[in-house]
Amino acid sequence: DTAVSQTPKYLVTQMGNDKSIKCEQNLGHDTMYWYKQDSKKFLKIMFSYNNKELIINETVPNRFSPKSPDKAHLNLHINSLELGDSAVYFCASMSQLKPHEQYFGPGTRLTVT
Amino acid sequence: KQEVTQIPAALSVPEGENLVLNCSFTDSAIYNLQWFRQDPGKGLTSLLLIQSSQREQTSGRLNASLDKSSGRSTLYIAASQPGDSATYLCAVTSGNTPLVFGKGTRLSVIA
């Protein structure tokens, strides 16, 4: 069973469109994250969500909005896509219990044309 | 603000060599440090996790050390194999905070 899954794996879309990436974890974790890996392979946090609180990275444009229908899901919705949004987006989850190890999804490669 | 640096950015070695990848972080107040492997076009695989109270962790041919006071970690790979070719990422967290990643070391092991 896949611990952290993301759909779709690849997403090609045109500028200006709105798209969503879904993430699900079956680990029973209570904290989930979205990371962005840019063209230089640098991974940076976008959002973290812990049941009660969504922490937004202030460098992330407000066109990006995470949505969590329940504890096992944290979806990422992107409005008015731009060329610079092309990247690989990784979802991760973590338990508040030790050892605070994060588990990553396989990534979604988004290409905006 | 925590910053993580990995040296070298790329490394190419012949098969069978032992090698060391370096990671340094600016804020020593970390909870743990993780080493990940990323294959081209693939996700992240956690290799080793070292708690701040630990000095090292071992898994097979991999050994990771942590010197929290100096803000350094090393990943030692023994008897390297072509299958070890990948990008190795170091990341730290201060507990409930998201991971802060280095830019990775791209390793090529030549048969």
Side-chain angles (χ1 to χ4, degrees):
Chain A
D1 281 346
T2 302
V4 183
S5 59
Q6 294 179 227
T7 55
K9 189 172 181 179
Y10 300 97
L11 181 56
V12 181
T13 187
Q14 292 184 332
M15 286 175 55
N17 285 346
D18 302 338
K19 290 293 179 185
S20 291
I21 306 172
K22 296 185 177 181
C23 176
E24 177 181 2
Q25 54 96 2
N26 61 8
L27 298 167
H29 289 170
D30 43 24
T31 302
M32 296 184 72
Y33 304 91
W34 277 106
Y35 290 84
K36 178 181 179 181
Q37 187 174 40
D38 60 26
S39 58
K40 297 181 181 178
K41 306 300 183 186
F42 195 29
L43 264 161
K44 291 183 71 174
I45 184 67
M46 298 178 70
F47 303 102
S48 60
Y49 196 95
N50 180 343
N51 267 346
K52 309 167 189 174
E53 186 178 4
L54 174 65
I55 301 171
I56 299 175
N57 185 324
E58 61 186 25
T59 66
V60 177
N62 57 16
R63 297 181 294 103
F64 290 79
S65 56
K67 298 187 191 303
S68 181
D70 55 58
K71 200 170 87 166
H73 297 83
L74 183 63
N75 304 324
L76 183 64
H77 189 75
I78 315 169
N79 290 326
S80 303
L81 278 156
E82 300 178 357
L83 293 176
D85 297 333
S86 296
V88 181
Y89 293 85
F90 287 98
C91 175
S93 72
M94 183 189 78
S95 171
Q96 291 295 320
L97 302 175
K98 294 182 180 181
H100 287 252
E101 183 174 359
Q102 291 191 22
Y103 293 81
F104 280 76
T108 295
R109 182 174 295 277
L110 171 64
T111 303
V112 182
T113 61
Chain B
K1 178 185 173 186
Q2 180 73 269
E3 292 183 1
V4 179
T5 303
Q6 290 186 246
I7 295 173
L11 180 63
S12 184
V13 300
E15 182 178 5
E17 270 202 10
N18 303 325
L19 58 100
V20 175
L21 307 181
N22 297 293
C23 172
S24 61
F25 44 95
T26 55
D27 185 351
S28 62
I30 64 168
Y31 188 85
N32 65 42
L33 181 145
Q34 277 184 264
W35 282 94
F36 293 87
R37 170 184 173 142
Q38 184 175 27
D39 293 283
K42 299 289 180 64
L44 298 169
T45 302
S46 181
L47 298 173
L48 290 163
L49 181 147
I50 311 178
Q51 300 286 2
S52 61
S53 58
Q54 297 174 324
R55 298 282 295 181
E56 66 177 345
Q57 283 286 327
T58 299
S59 175
R61 294 181 294 107
L62 304 179
N63 176 278
S65 68
L66 174 64
D67 185 341
K68 187 180 163 185
S69 60
S70 68
R72 295 182 181 182
S73 175
T74 61
L75 179 66
Y76 174 83
I77 303 177
S80 58
Q81 302 171 358
D84 295 331
S85 298
T87 295
Y88 291 81
L89 294 158
C90 166
V92 298
T93 181
S94 301
N96 292 341
T97 58
L99 290 167
V100 177
F101 283 85
K103 294 187 178 181
T105 294
R106 190 171 65 255
L107 173 65
S108 298
V109 180
I110 312 300

